[in-house]
Each structure stands twice: as C-alpha cells, then as structure tokens.
C-alpha cells in the first residue's frame, strides 16, 4: 500500500517532468517561433541624400530577402538633418518597443545609443564607432546592444589620390561640417598624411547648411584642390557645392560616391547599398536568434577608385588607369 508521502512524491515528480518537458520544448522551438513572428524594425535616417537613401534601401531589401515581406514591418523616419529630431524618433521607437533599431548616420546612432540599452541597435553609414560613441578602448566590437557597419574608406589612400591626380598641387582645402565628429576625424587623418608630404592644408569648416556657400566659395578661391570627407551636410548640399567649385574650376576629391557625382572628379568609395544590405543581413541574424549582437564586430565594405566623367571632361582632367566611371 502506498503511503500519502509516496503519492505526494510521485505527483511532485510528475509535475517536475512535465515542467521540464515544456521548458525543453520552448527552448527547442525558439528559432522556429522567431521565424513565425512579424518583426517591427524602426529606421532613423539622419537626412535624405543619395548615400543614406541607398543604405536604407539595401537594409530593407536584405531583411525582406531573409525574412520575407510579410514577416517584417518598417517604421521609417527621417530627421531632416536635425540631431534633436533623431532623439525624438528613436525615443518613439523605444516607447513602441520595436524589435530592432537601424540608426543611419552618426547622430542617429548616438541618439539610439543614449535611448536604450536593451533594444538591438545597428548603425550604418557611420565612419568610426569609437569616435561616434566616445569609446576609449574601442577595438572593433562595441558590445552591449550595439553593432553595425562602417562606411570608412582607407583615408590615406584617399589622400594619395590627390597626389596621384594633381602632383603639382601645393594647397589643399579641407571642406567639411564641424558639427560632424566623423568628418573631423577623417580630415585629421588626411591632413596629417598630406602635411607629411609637404602639402599645405587649410581647413574650411561650416557649422550647417546656412554657411556652406560662403565657406565653399572661399575654399575654391584659396585651394588648388579640395577634399570633402564622407559628410552628411555636404552630401545634402552637393548641388550648391558643385555650382561653386565647377565655376571656379577647383577640382574636388570626395570621400564617397554621392558627393563625387555632384561636385567631385574622383573618389575612393564604397557601395552604400551593399553596406546597408550587409547591415540587413546582420539584423536578420539577430532577430532570428542566430547571432548575439554583443559579439558582432563592426563590418566594413571594400572601396574602389571611381571618377566622374562629366566633371573631369569639363575641368580637362585626365584620369589614369585603375579608375572606374561612377555608376
């Protein structure tokens, strides 16, 4: 005859077995359940221009390719080049508890980084994550809930292009937005490289789009060649810059293809669409539970030399072998 104690023990054991089975079933079905979920992804893009637009499109295309069009919803918002608006946008994403945030450009990344420590954040079109997030010990992986892709092209190779295309140049103007820390970082690297080669470098910085015409006019008048880094404000005002430098017949070496297409003669640049697509692949892996964002290093894209046939012809510039025409 079973005692009351033995019956209780048997019931307890049965409960534990059932609980264990349910727990194991939940664990084993984690990835499958993720595949059945409809994910909401918030996209904060700093400003509308060719490079950032391409990165956003690549990101969305990759997620749709990996998850299916019916498995992901995008909440896409543009901050109109206003860092404060970036904060408003990402805070709205946090209040909606989106599954992942794409921060397209440095101010968007900074806003997202300050807004949440739990929702996964992927940056793209960000040049240097250590500079953007003020990380003293950055070694390639941000950690926590942040990772992404970088649009950093080899800066010393960009500087060398100036010497290759314009060997007689003595004065190089560095045209950039002083409010963008990644632009300042790029300018410092290029400035040091050229200065070490005996080239006189002068910084021409503008604080926002309001003074870009005046600053560009002075840079064009005082420089043999102008260098413009990957700079969002410059990219959004490329038509204004182009009208001034082409009229002054001052050639521009650009940090990215979008700026080059509007005002430059050549660039060592990446594909922003491919960069965004890579970011989307990272996002899919995170959402499906196939990767831990805290372990994901920042990814980079390969750069290639390209030239602007129309502006080169207008300025009478012959490009050596090894350069491809802009798409």
């Amino acid at each position: 005859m079973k005692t009351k104690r033995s019956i209780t023990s048997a019931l307890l054991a049965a409960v534990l077995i059932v609980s264990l089975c349910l727990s194991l079933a939940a664990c084993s079905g984690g990835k499958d359940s993720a595949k059945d979920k409809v994910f909401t992804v918030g996209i904060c893009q700093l400003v509308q221009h060719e490079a950032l637009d391409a990165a956003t499109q690549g990101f969305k295309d990759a997620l749709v390719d990996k998850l299916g069009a019916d498995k992901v919803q995008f909440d896409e918002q543009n901050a109109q080049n206003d860092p404060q608006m970036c904060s408003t946008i990402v805070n709205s994403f946090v209040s909606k508890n989106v599954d992942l945030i794409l921060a397209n450009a440095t101010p968007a990344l900074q806003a997202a980084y300050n807004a949440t420590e739990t929702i996964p954040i992927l940056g793209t079109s960000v040049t240097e994550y250590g500079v953007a997030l003020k990380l003293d010990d950055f070694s390639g992986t941000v950690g926590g809930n942040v990772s992404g892709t970088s649009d950093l092209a080899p800066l010393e190779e960009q500087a060398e292009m100036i010497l290759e295309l314009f060997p007689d140049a003595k004065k190089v103007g560095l045209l950039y937005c002083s409010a963008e820390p990644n632009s300042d970082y790029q300018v410092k690297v290029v400035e040091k490289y050229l200065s070490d080669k005996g080239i006189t470098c002068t910084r021409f910085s503008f604080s926002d789009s309001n003074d870009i015409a005046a600053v560009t006019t002075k840079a064009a008048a005082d420089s043999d060649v102008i260098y413009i880094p990957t700079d969002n404000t410059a990219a959004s005002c490329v038509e204004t810059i182009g009208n001034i430098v082409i009229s002054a017949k001052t050639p521009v070496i650009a940090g990215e293809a979008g700026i080059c297409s509007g005002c430059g003669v050549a660039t060592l640049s990446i594909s922003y669409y491919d960069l965004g697509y890579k970011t989307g692949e990272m996002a899919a892996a995170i959402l499906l539970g196939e990767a831990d964002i805290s372990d994901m290093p920042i990814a980079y894209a390969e750069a290639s030399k390209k030239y602007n046939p129309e502006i080169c012809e207008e300025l009478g510039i012959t490009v050596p072998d090894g350069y491809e025409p802009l798409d």
Side-chain angles (χ1 to χ4, degrees), residues 242-272:
N243 289 336
I244 294 169
V245 297
I246 293 171
S247 176
K249 297 192 179 301
T250 305
V252 169
I253 299 296
E256 57 96 357
I259 295 175
C260 188
S261 66
C263 68
V265 298
T267 181
L268 179 66
S269 183
I270 64 166
S271 164
Y272 277 81

Side-chain angles (χ1 to χ4, degrees), residues 10-250:
L11 288 172
L12 180 59
V15 170
L16 290 172
I17 291 171
V18 170
S19 298
L20 179 60
C21 290
L22 290 173
S23 177
L24 289 172
C27 291
S28 64
K31 288 187 179 180
D32 291 336
S33 61
K35 290 179 180 178
D36 294 334
K37 180 179 177 179
V38 177
F39 297 100
T40 301
V41 175
I43 298 176
C44 178
Q45 181 174 317
L46 173 64
V47 64
Q48 184 176 7
H49 65 67
E50 183 178 338
L52 299 191
D53 291 350
T56 292
Q57 190 61 54
F59 175 81
K60 292 165 64 178
D61 288 350
L63 270 179
V64 169
D65 288 346
K66 295 294 181 181
L67 302 179
D70 58 338
K71 297 299 182 184
V72 58
Q73 296 177 343
F74 298 106
D75 186 348
E76 184 177 348
Q77 300 190 41
N78 193 294
Q80 305 300 322
N81 209 22
D82 182 353
Q84 288 300 115
M85 182 60 69
C86 287
S87 296
T88 301
I89 292 170
V90 296
N91 282 328
S92 74
F93 292 158
V94 173
S95 66
K96 295 173 185 176
N97 195 30
V98 299
D99 296 296
L100 184 140
I101 295 172
L102 174 71
N104 192 348
T106 296
L109 175 69
Q110 292 169 329
Y113 182 74
N114 291 326
T116 177
E117 296 180 357
T118 55
I119 297 174
I121 300 166
L122 287 176
T124 194
S125 313
V126 176
T127 303
E128 221 291 334
Y129 281 73
V131 172
L133 301 179
K134 298 180 180 179
L135 305 174
D136 295 332
D137 56 349
F138 177 68
S139 59
T141 301
V142 176
N145 64 323
V146 178
S147 187
T149 56
S150 169
D151 61 2
L152 180 64
L155 296 173
E156 292 188 353
E157 292 181 33
Q158 287 184 353
E160 185 61 35
M161 286 173 60
I162 297 174
L163 305 179
E164 179 182 38
L165 292 169
F166 308 102
D168 297 328
K170 302 299 181 185
K171 299 182 294 182
V172 174
L174 307 169
L175 182 65
Y176 68 104
C177 180
S178 58
E180 298 189 32
N182 281 313
S183 296
D184 184 67
Y185 170 79
Q186 294 170 81
V187 163
K188 284 179 180 177
V189 174
V190 171
E191 182 178 39
K192 182 180 186 309
Y193 184 89
L194 293 176
S195 296
D196 289 345
K197 300 289 185 179
I199 304 298
T200 299
C201 295
T202 304
R203 295 190 180 201
F204 297 92
S205 63
F206 46 88
S207 57
D208 55 38
S209 60
N210 294 321
D211 58 346
I212 197 167
V215 174
T216 301
T217 299
K218 182 165 179 56
D222 295 352
S223 310
D224 298 321
V225 184
I226 291 174
Y227 170 74
I228 303 177
T230 302
D231 185 288
N232 289 299
T233 306
S236 65
C237 299
V238 69
E239 184 176 351
T240 299
I241 296 172
N243 289 336
I244 294 169
V245 297
I246 293 171
S247 176
K249 297 192 179 301
T250 305

